[in-house]
Amino acid sequence: MTVAVYPGSFDPITKGHMDIVERAAQIFNEVIVAVVINPNKKPLFTMDERVEMIRMASAHIPNVRVESFSGLLVDFTRKQGARAIVRGLRAVSDFEVEFQMALMNKRLYPEAETVFMATHTDYAFLSSSMVKEVASFGGDVSDYLPPSVLTRVAEKYGDTVWGKAPAR
């Protein structure tokens, strides 16, 4: 059984993230979406809220589970019995940082491989930070978030995030 870990802060999870989750779930027997506790970031959503949103957004994928962790990714990956780390790439600029992390992870946990997945072109520009910024200024982010996540973002920023046609 091949288990993969897809780590990130997912604050919030976007359709771009979900594209990677869905595609990884077609390749691996089990995909663990690993929500990292990053002390250097001030998240919009609590850890529990992020885990809950990802569980709701991925409920249709039977071989996906969602966990949170702190500390080194390789320690979490090893503890889960995973042999793959999935990373999404939006642009060439992502590759340099991701490649360095992959090399360090390989040194720390040689049995694990990092698998890079190019994002769908519809989401190549998309990030959680961008979604939060647009939403904070009253912009429509309904095309970029799973419906259950959009509801939670609307609770934080107001109904303007729905755009012209409410997705409720």
Side-chain angles (χ1 to χ4, degrees):
M1 184 162 148
T2 308
V3 179
V5 171
Y6 178 38
S9 55
F10 306 110
D11 185 41
I13 194 161
T14 66
K15 287 183 177 178
H17 293 128
M18 287 304 303
D19 173 59
I20 300 295
V21 170
E22 289 169 352
R23 289 170 40 220
Q26 293 174 11
I27 298 168
F28 300 101
N29 298 98
E30 181 179 27
V31 175
I32 303 167
V33 180
V35 185
V36 64
I37 299 167
N38 186 340
N40 298 323
K41 289 187 177 182
K42 186 179 178 208
L44 176 64
F45 293 98
T46 67
M47 177 60 62
D48 289 341
E49 288 172 322
R50 287 181 278 154
V51 167
E52 176 189 351
M53 286 188 290
I54 299 166
R55 284 185 177 143
M56 290 175 67
S58 63
H60 65 287
I61 314 169
N63 60 328
V64 169
R65 81 179 145 98
V66 184
E67 303 288 342
S68 63
F69 79 99
S70 62
L72 289 175
L73 171 61
V74 291
D75 292 340
F76 176 81
T77 302
R78 186 181 290 114
K79 183 184 265 187
Q80 299 301 315
R83 299 289 300 270
I85 298 167
V86 173
R87 298 299 294 159
L89 296 175
R90 295 171 295 200
V92 174
S93 57
D94 285 347
F95 182 75
E96 186 174 352
V97 171
E98 293 294 341
F99 185 66
Q100 289 175 338
M101 284 193 294
L103 292 175
M104 178 57 79
N105 288 337
K106 188 69 172 168
R107 295 286 301 242
L108 296 172
Y109 183 26
E111 297 81 12
E113 294 293 338
T114 298
V115 177
F116 295 113
M117 298 183 77
T119 190
H120 190 284
T121 55
D122 289 348
Y123 309 118
F125 64 92
L126 188 59
S127 69
S128 295
S129 298
M130 187 176 292
V131 166
K132 290 185 288 192
E133 184 171 350
V134 170
S136 74
F137 287 106
D140 178 1
V141 294
S142 59
D143 286 341
Y144 313 121
L145 299 171
S148 58
V149 175
L150 183 61
T151 301
R152 301 300 294 274
V153 171
E155 291 170 2
K156 300 277 186 180
Y157 291 116
D159 283 338
T160 57
V161 302
W162 295 108
K164 296 177 183 124
R168 294 182 195 185

